[in-house]
Every structure is written in structure tokens, then in C-alpha cells.
Amino acid sequence: MKNSYPIVLTPDTVGYVVYVPDFKINTEGDTLTEAIEMARDAIGLMGIDMEDDKKALPVPSEMSAVTKETENDIVTLVDVDFAEYRRQNDIRSVRRNVTLPSWLNFEAEKSGINVSAVLQRALKQELRITNR
């Protein structure tokens, strides 16, 4: 799911402090570009954690509802594709039990084939996943 969330960028001594009101989180970046990237990353991380915990993602606030704390604050939107964020960043390995005929397992071991790697390639092919 892709959505756009408002953020508030506050100039700091070095860079910007970022507040994401819909997620009630802060982050920062040394440049405006880095601060926006960090906001996207923070939103993506919080979003997939919420999805994993079976919590609903917040509905994005209207930009007009977001208030500036200082005159120098910048209010803008950051788009996040949660499915893409998960694909790009959730790369932890998960242990699965796989049942194989003993003769096939023997042949794979004898040939030095990494069964996990073969299974990953086959699943990607079956699911038509071309990136990663």
C-alpha cells in the first residue's frame, strides 16, 4: 500500500529535525534531502512493524491540519510504499522445515547444492519476483 504522510522539518544547528505527526515519531538528517529520506525510512519501518503487529496504519492527516511550531518549519509530504519498503528492507531470514524424499536430499548433498538457495530461486520464479 502506498500513501503520503505530512512531515514537519525544523531547521537545526546542523541539518533538520523531522516530526511525523501521524506516527508520533522523530528523526533527523544533515541535509534537507537526507531528512526527507530519513522520514520515509522511519515511516516505512513503523508501518511494517504495525502491519506485523496486526495494527492499522494511520490515515494520513490533511496538510492543513499540521501546525508549525516555528516560523522556519517546513511542512511537506513524504510518500511511502509499504510493500516496496518491506521488500527492500525486511531481509531477515526465516527458518522453514522442508520435506524432501531422502534420495533427493542425498543427491543434493552429494552435489554440494544449497537447497535453501534453490528454494529461494524457485519461489521467486513462481511468484514472478524479478528484483532482489
Side-chain angles (χ1 to χ4, degrees):
M1 179 176 102
K2 191 171 187 175
N3 227 326
S4 296
Y5 289 91
I7 62 171
V8 180
L9 298 138
T10 303
D12 200 12
T13 309
V14 176
Y16 295 84
V17 174
V18 184
Y19 177 60
V20 185
D22 293 322
F23 287 87
K24 296 176 179 56
I25 55 175
N26 291 295
T27 189
E28 62 184 354
D30 290 339
T31 65
L32 186 59
T33 301
E34 185 179 285
I36 292 169
E37 288 173 354
M38 295 300 289
R40 184 174 290 113
D41 189 48
I43 294 168
L45 183 60
M46 284 293 294
I48 65 171
D49 280 349
M50 291 176 74
E51 288 175 346
D52 290 349
D53 292 341
K54 308 289 189 249
K55 295 178 182 175
L57 294 172
V59 175
S61 297
E62 294 292 325
M63 292 249 315
S64 58
V66 178
T67 58
K68 295 180 177 186
E69 293 293 320
T70 71
E71 229 178 76
N72 295 329
D73 286 354
I74 302 166
V75 177
T76 189
L77 293 171
V78 171
D79 66 321
V80 179
D81 184 335
F82 292 101
E84 181 62 24
Y85 184 86
R86 182 180 296 278
R87 276 192 294 278
Q88 295 295 324
N89 296 286
D90 192 7
I91 56 173
R92 63 194 155 131
S93 293
V94 179
R95 187 165 193 75
R96 298 283 309 241
N97 288 332
V98 176
T99 304
L100 299 173
S102 63
W103 66 267
L104 187 56
N105 186 57
F106 175 78
E107 292 296 329
E109 286 178 350
K110 185 170 79 173
S111 298
I113 293 175
N114 181 332
V115 174
S116 291
V118 171
L119 178 57
Q120 287 178 46
R121 280 195 305 274
L123 284 170
K124 287 177 183 177
Q125 181 180 356
E126 185 71 20
L127 296 168
R128 292 179 177 81
I129 297 172
T130 56
N131 58 350
R132 296 185 83 183

